[in-house]
Amino acid sequence: MATEMDLRALLADAIERRDREAAEETLWQLSEQDELGRALQELDPPRLTRLAQLLGDEHFGEFLAELEPSEAADVLERLSWGEAADVLEAMAPDDAADVFAELEPEEAGRILVAMEPLEAQELQELLSYPPDTAGGRMTPAYVALSPSVRVDQAIVALRQLAQAAETIYYVYVTDEEGHLLGVVSMRDLVLSPPDRTVGDVMETDLVRVAAKADQEEAARILIEEGLLAIPVVDEDNRLLGIITVDDVADILEREATEDIERLGGSQPLEVPYMRASPLLLWRKRVGWLLLLFVGSAYTVSVTNYYEDLIAQVTALALFIPLLIGTGGNAGSQVVTTLVRAIALEGIGLRDIPRILPKEIVTALMLGLVMAIVAFGRAEIEGLGRDLSLAVACAIFAIVLWAVTVAAVLPPVLKRLRIDPAVVSAPLIATLVDGTGLIIYFNIARLILGL
Amino acid sequence: MATEMDLRALLADAIERRDREAAEETLWQLSEQDELGRALQELDPPRLTRLAQLLGDEHFGEFLAELEPSEAADVLERLSWGEAADVLEAMAPDDAADVFAELEPEEAGRILVAMEPLEAQELQELLSYPPDTAGGRMTPAYVALSPSVRVDQAIVALRQLAQAAETIYYVYVTDEEGHLLGVVSMRDLVLSPPDRTVGDVMETDLVRVAAKADQEEAARILIEEGLLAIPVVDEDNRLLGIITVDDVADILEREATEDIERLGGSQPLEVPYMRASPLLLWRKRVGWLLLLFVGSAYTVSVTNYYEDLIAQVTALALFIPLLIGTGGNAGSQVVTTLVRAIALEGIGLRDIPRILPKEIVTALMLGLVMAIVAFGRAEIEGLGRDLSLAVACAIFAIVLWAVTVAAVLPPVLKRLRIDPAVVSAPLIATLVDGTGLIIYFNIARLILGL
């Protein structure tokens, strides 16, 4: 913590002395300690403005792009509208759009008015797509040429455009109305005879993704095809932007993180864990915890219903946690594997005829092993052969039941367009708790002849 | 199923008729249905050989590269040694190494002898690094030039090397002993004056990764720096190979899948779910299920220890599943979030002073809400104000305990160099089950004055 305070003092000092190099160095160190956002948010407006001027809009914008968009928006709101507009203009358009989307509406309107008309229009177009779609993720900083341009002219054009473009490894070819006709890689340009036209050497059989498509779909196509960028088009095949390969890792990691957090039984945090406040953690967890509690509360009624049975054979209560715990564990194994397989392998409802037999055979084998072990464990207690037999049969039936429920639910939810990851390990455990008790008490009643 | 059988018949027919185009089309369709491996494994050796000759080594190798390495190895083993050697030589070296590593040792030796000496040596070098390290993942198909080469000569050289290299977007610069001196991007080459040398325009401040480093480390550096490829070097900074950006998504997805499967309480499958047999699923699950059973078996002893208490107040048994279930759920939420944060944000033991207060504050707030709800639920049963109070206090204490255990364990395991993802949702639930019961019974004894 001392270092962090030191760094803030150093930053304030560097701004005071107008020492650009020291300010920059301190900002990098804060960024590495994940403290950049907090440090910038705590600078008063005059100092912040001086810092932006010291670094220049472009450089200051690069630091803002390192932050979570909501943090960056907080910082921008403490600059003057004109200054904020300049910084946004200097940022990469896709980063600028992410930050802009987090501004207070009134503030956003004022800043937009202060921006250059062309840049403002570009920003608004990017903002018209939700952030998790291909359109929300794309950048308009691509290079597009007409098919009649010669290869050597194209290379000259690339030199001029190199600064502004996100990637110059692909040059897209469009007609006058902006319809996407083809693509030429820089590799092809360099290797082609200079007097051919771009239209001659372009690849016309190219993949593209609709602006409304999920960003994950764009990322998966990009990987499968081994591309460095994928073009994003509107319904009329007009080129709107590109998604580059450096966005892909970020998209995939976010999706995996969301799935993991859901599978653990909470809502996705959407910010890095270390930046999450207890209040945020509470908000993301309390809903599911309550829902699971309510779902689990019927175990009280179930146990109550069989109270006579427990009163007759108190020993039955001994095995309750063990039996329902094992059911929950078996279900959790299936659910997590399946949810991931749905995300990666595109498994759906139509695959149930292949999933279910496989899972049931597995469950029969697992159940058998667990039944043998449970029989042995019950025998150690020495409460009678019949009780041991009841426990063994119950665990076999519960494992089979838990696996079946866990194998069927995720594909069904996917079909209902609900994220299958909501069938978390805790949810399966909860579902299996009460039904497992019913299975157990009935088997016990049968075998013990009560 | 019908389609799959049809495709196999079509494939056999195409091989019979030596119809290259039909064979290729059928193989693509099988590949899309994820049935390519099984179809090739079921072809008899003469037909397989005829198929390889029909497609040509390089093309046949591309289809093999689509398969899991173990499947591809099965196929190779049914070709003659000479034919298998030719196919391996035609494959991308990193893919070939992955497949080669899966061959039976005796078979592998014979095939290696049949390969060209240079290709065999390259393969052996790649194989000297474990598959999950940077060295095991790299490809030697990079472009390296001496610093004295002129920019225009470099572009000419690239034209000649373009076919064999994985990426020509980066040209690495090495001295005569192969030490890595710098890198020039194709972008820089195209934009530089043609009469400068590669040494003049190269970037010398470049990131690299050690061959022994974890492949995930290489992937993360590649993303953070926004690179298309990262060079892999030995201890003496000699360039051994590169890892390209198209490997990154695969590396990250594999790591995330392993974490998810571990968090669900099973060992990672390591093959796509749809290809996993029930026997494999059983093997990956039974170990943890048994271990959790054994870990959970002490709940029987705990409950047995408090049997007098239950015999006095049977109603105590009613709330057992609800209380320990909620504890498990609260722990599961923390564990999944933390394991992911460890993977993505590099959290470690040193962060416990920041994690623990945050989690405890969250747990106090969660516990309070759950206690109020549990009190209400117990009141509905109408078993006395004291019992309701005991249930409420117990759930508060259990949530606090579960969250604390779940917050501390993953960073501790990381420190012990054990994958934190082994603290799965089921493991936390199991740990909390028995201790939760002890907390519950003791609070009940105190409040009910038994």
Side-chain angles (χ1 to χ4, degrees):
Chain A
M1 291 302 183
T3 336
E4 191 190 319
M5 290 311 300
D6 289 353
L7 283 175
R8 291 185 199 192
L10 276 176
L11 180 62
D13 183 55
I15 295 172
E16 228 40 69
R17 290 186 292 112
R18 299 191 184 272
D19 181 343
R20 185 189 153 128
E21 211 163 298
E24 211 171 305
E25 172 63 25
T26 317
L27 289 174
W28 276 124
Q29 288 184 23
L30 282 164
S31 169
E32 269 174 21
Q33 290 188 21
D34 228 356
E35 292 295 342
L36 182 60
R38 229 186 299 173
L40 289 181
Q41 281 166 331
E42 282 172 12
L43 282 182
D44 52 42
R47 273 205 183 129
L48 200 61
T49 307
R50 226 176 301 156
L51 178 64
Q53 285 160 355
L54 194 61
L55 293 177
D57 294 330
E58 194 167 335
H59 216 56
F60 186 70
E62 281 169 19
F63 281 107
L64 287 191
E66 296 276 309
L67 303 180
E68 290 296 308
S70 60
E71 290 177 326
D74 280 352
V75 174
L76 271 193
E77 283 171 1
R78 299 223 310 293
L79 292 175
S80 73
W81 300 321
E83 182 65 40
D86 289 344
V87 173
L88 280 176
E89 283 168 9
M91 288 174 74
D94 49 342
D95 290 336
D98 289 345
V99 175
F100 192 85
E102 297 287 334
L103 290 170
E104 298 292 327
E106 200 183 333
E107 197 79 5
R110 309 258 189 187
I111 294 175
L112 203 61
V113 170
M115 284 177 75
E116 301 283 331
L118 259 173
E119 308 255 0
Q121 193 194 337
E122 193 175 80
L123 200 61
Q124 281 177 303
E125 272 165 23
L126 281 178
L127 284 166
S128 64
Y129 297 97
D132 56 350
T133 61
R137 180 59 86 146
M138 70 188 178
T139 168
Y142 56 85
V143 178
L145 296 174
S146 142
S148 58
V149 173
R150 272 167 43 134
V151 166
D152 52 358
Q153 294 171 323
I155 295 179
V156 172
L158 275 186
R159 282 180 208 247
Q160 290 156 355
L161 296 167
Q163 276 304 320
E166 283 256 325
T167 180
I168 58 163
Y169 293 117
Y170 292 149
V171 175
Y172 296 95
V173 186
T174 52
D175 65 16
E176 284 113 59
E177 285 88 38
H179 296 104
L180 181 61
L181 301 175
V183 67
V184 189
S185 68
M186 195 204 245
R187 179 176 181 147
D188 291 337
L189 276 186
V190 172
L191 304 180
S192 293
D195 56 347
R196 305 281 295 279
T197 68
V198 165
D200 292 337
V201 300
M202 72 181 178
E203 174 67 64
T204 53
D205 179 22
L206 81 166
V207 289
R208 61 202 86 192
V209 65
K212 286 177 186 163
D214 197 295
Q215 59 174 354
E216 204 182 346
E217 190 188 324
R220 296 218 175 274
I221 298 175
L222 222 151
I223 299 165
E224 271 162 33
E225 304 284 331
L227 300 171
L228 300 177
I230 188 170
V232 181
V233 294
D234 67 10
E235 301 92 66
D236 299 328
N237 189 35
R238 267 190 300 255
L239 182 60
L240 300 175
I242 57 169
I243 296 178
T244 52
V245 72
D246 53 308
D247 288 324
V248 165
D250 186 49
I251 294 173
L252 295 181
E253 297 229 304
R254 267 172 206 258
E255 303 279 346
T257 303
E258 282 182 14
D259 275 1
I260 287 175
E261 289 173 344
R262 285 214 181 87
L263 281 169
S266 48
Q267 285 176 266
L269 279 183
E270 285 163 7
V271 299
Y273 173 77
M274 288 309 271
R275 291 192 196 156
S277 67
L279 197 67
L280 180 69
L281 290 176
W282 180 82
R283 279 216 325 265
K284 297 295 186 180
R285 291 175 185 170
V286 72
W288 270 109
L289 209 54
L290 277 172
L291 206 69
L292 292 169
F293 181 89
V294 172
S296 180
Y298 79 113
T299 58
V300 179
S301 315
V302 170
T303 320
N304 206 358
Y305 182 82
Y306 293 97
E307 208 182 351
D308 287 353
L309 214 63
I310 300 174
Q312 280 178 61
V313 189
T314 331
L316 278 179
L318 299 185
F319 297 96
I320 290 177
L322 189 58
L323 288 176
I324 62 178
T326 301
N329 294 342
S332 158
Q333 291 183 327
V334 178
V335 151
T336 43
T337 308
L338 260 185
V339 167
R340 188 63 178 162
I342 287 176
L344 292 188
E345 300 171 45
I347 288 171
L349 206 56
R350 66 182 182 288
D351 296 303
I352 286 217
R354 288 172 69 192
I355 296 170
L356 208 52
K358 179 149 92 174
E359 285 297 345
I360 285 176
V361 172
T362 311
L364 289 173
M365 297 192 292
L366 283 175
L368 198 66
V369 173
M370 301 315 294
I372 293 169
V373 177
F375 185 81
R377 179 67 186 85
E379 280 292 281
I380 294 173
E381 294 294 309
L383 299 163
R385 184 63 41 95
D386 279 355
L387 186 65
S388 305
L389 197 64
V391 169
C393 290
I395 210 165
F396 182 82
I398 288 173
V399 166
L400 195 61
W401 166 241
V403 168
T404 308
V405 174
V408 172
L409 261 187
V412 169
L413 286 185
K414 187 193 170 196
R415 182 56 186 267
L416 299 174
R417 292 172 181 278
I418 300 171
D419 184 340
V422 302
V423 203
S424 56
L427 182 61
I428 274 291
T430 301
L431 287 177
V432 171
D433 276 359
T435 45
L437 285 173
I438 298 176
I439 292 173
Y440 173 44
F441 289 129
N442 278 304
I443 287 179
R445 181 147 59 186
L446 214 69
I447 292 182
L448 300 177
L450 298 169
Chain B
M1 290 298 181
T3 336
E4 193 189 319
M5 290 310 300
D6 290 352
L7 283 174
R8 289 185 200 193
L10 276 175
L11 180 63
D13 182 55
I15 296 172
E16 229 41 69
R17 291 186 292 113
R18 300 190 184 271
D19 181 343
R20 185 189 153 127
E21 212 163 298
E24 210 170 306
E25 173 62 24
T26 318
L27 289 174
W28 276 124
Q29 288 184 21
L30 282 164
S31 169
E32 269 172 22
Q33 290 188 20
D34 229 355
E35 292 296 342
L36 181 60
R38 229 188 299 174
L40 289 180
Q41 280 166 332
E42 281 172 13
L43 281 181
D44 54 40
R47 273 204 184 130
L48 200 60
T49 308
R50 226 175 301 155
L51 178 65
Q53 285 159 354
L54 193 62
L55 294 177
D57 295 330
E58 194 166 334
H59 216 56
F60 187 69
E62 280 169 19
F63 281 107
L64 287 191
E66 297 275 311
L67 304 180
E68 290 295 307
S70 60
E71 289 177 327
D74 280 352
V75 174
L76 270 192
E77 282 171 2
R78 300 223 310 290
L79 293 175
S80 73
W81 301 322
E83 182 65 39
D86 289 344
V87 173
L88 280 176
E89 284 168 8
M91 288 173 75
D94 50 341
D95 290 336
D98 289 344
V99 175
F100 191 85
E102 297 287 335
L103 291 170
E104 298 293 327
E106 201 183 332
E107 196 79 6
R110 309 258 190 188
I111 293 175
L112 203 61
V113 171
M115 284 176 74
E116 302 284 330
L118 259 172
E119 309 254 1
Q121 193 194 337
E122 194 175 79
L123 200 61
Q124 280 178 303
E125 272 165 23
L126 282 178
L127 285 165
S128 63
Y129 297 97
D132 56 350
T133 61
R137 180 60 85 145
M138 70 189 179
T139 168
Y142 56 85
V143 178
L145 296 174
S146 143
S148 60
V149 172
R150 273 167 42 135
V151 165
D152 53 356
Q153 294 169 324
I155 294 178
V156 172
L158 276 186
R159 283 178 206 247
Q160 291 154 358
L161 295 167
Q163 276 305 320
E166 285 257 323
T167 179
I168 58 163
Y169 293 118
Y170 292 149
V171 175
Y172 296 94
V173 187
T174 53
D175 64 17
E176 283 112 60
E177 285 88 38
H179 297 103
L180 181 60
L181 301 176
V183 67
V184 189
S185 68
M186 195 204 245
R187 179 176 180 148
D188 291 337
L189 276 185
V190 170
L191 305 180
S192 293
D195 56 347
R196 304 282 295 279
T197 70
V198 166
D200 293 336
V201 300
M202 73 182 176
E203 175 68 62
T204 54
D205 179 22
L206 81 166
V207 290
R208 59 203 86 193
V209 66
K212 286 176 184 164
D214 196 296
Q215 60 175 353
E216 203 182 346
E217 190 188 324
R220 296 217 175 273
I221 298 175
L222 222 150
I223 299 165
E224 273 164 32
E225 305 283 331
L227 299 170
L228 299 177
I230 187 169
V232 181
V233 294
D234 67 10
E235 302 92 67
D236 299 327
N237 189 34
R238 266 190 300 255
L239 182 61
L240 301 175
I242 57 170
I243 296 179
T244 52
V245 72
D246 52 307
D247 288 324
V248 165
D250 186 48
I251 294 172
L252 295 181
E253 297 230 304
R254 267 172 206 259
E255 303 279 346
T257 303
E258 282 182 13
D259 275 2
I260 287 175
E261 289 173 345
R262 284 213 182 87
L263 281 169
S266 49
Q267 284 177 266
L269 279 183
E270 284 162 7
V271 298
Y273 173 77
M274 287 310 271
R275 292 193 195 155
S277 67
L279 197 67
L280 180 69
L281 289 176
W282 180 82
R283 281 216 324 267
K284 296 296 185 180
R285 292 176 185 170
V286 72
W288 270 109
L289 209 54
L290 277 172
L291 206 70
L292 291 169
F293 181 89
V294 172
S296 180
Y298 78 113
T299 57
V300 178
S301 315
V302 170
T303 320
N304 206 357
Y305 182 83
Y306 294 97
E307 208 183 351
D308 287 354
L309 214 63
I310 300 174
Q312 280 179 61
V313 189
T314 330
L316 278 178
L318 299 186
F319 297 95
I320 290 177
L322 188 58
L323 287 176
I324 63 180
T326 301
N329 294 343
S332 159
Q333 291 182 327
V334 177
V335 150
T336 43
T337 307
L338 260 185
V339 166
R340 188 63 178 163
I342 288 175
L344 292 189
E345 301 171 44
I347 287 170
L349 205 57
R350 67 182 181 288
D351 296 303
I352 288 216
R354 286 171 71 193
I355 296 170
L356 207 52
K358 179 150 91 174
E359 286 296 346
I360 286 177
V361 172
T362 311
L364 290 173
M365 295 192 292
L366 283 175
L368 198 66
V369 172
M370 300 315 293
I372 293 169
V373 177
F375 184 82
R377 178 68 186 82
E379 281 291 282
I380 293 173
E381 294 293 308
L383 299 163
R385 183 63 43 94
D386 279 355
L387 186 66
S388 303
L389 198 63
V391 169
C393 290
I395 210 164
F396 182 81
I398 288 173
V399 167
L400 195 61
W401 166 242
V403 168
T404 309
V405 173
V408 172
L409 262 186
V412 168
L413 286 185
K414 187 194 170 194
R415 182 55 186 266
L416 299 174
R417 291 172 181 278
I418 299 171
D419 185 340
V422 303
V423 202
S424 55
L427 182 61
I428 275 291
T430 301
L431 287 177
V432 171
D433 276 0
T435 44
L437 285 173
I438 298 176
I439 292 172
Y440 173 43
F441 288 130
N442 278 303
I443 288 178
R445 180 146 61 186
L446 214 70
I447 292 181
L448 299 176
L450 297 169

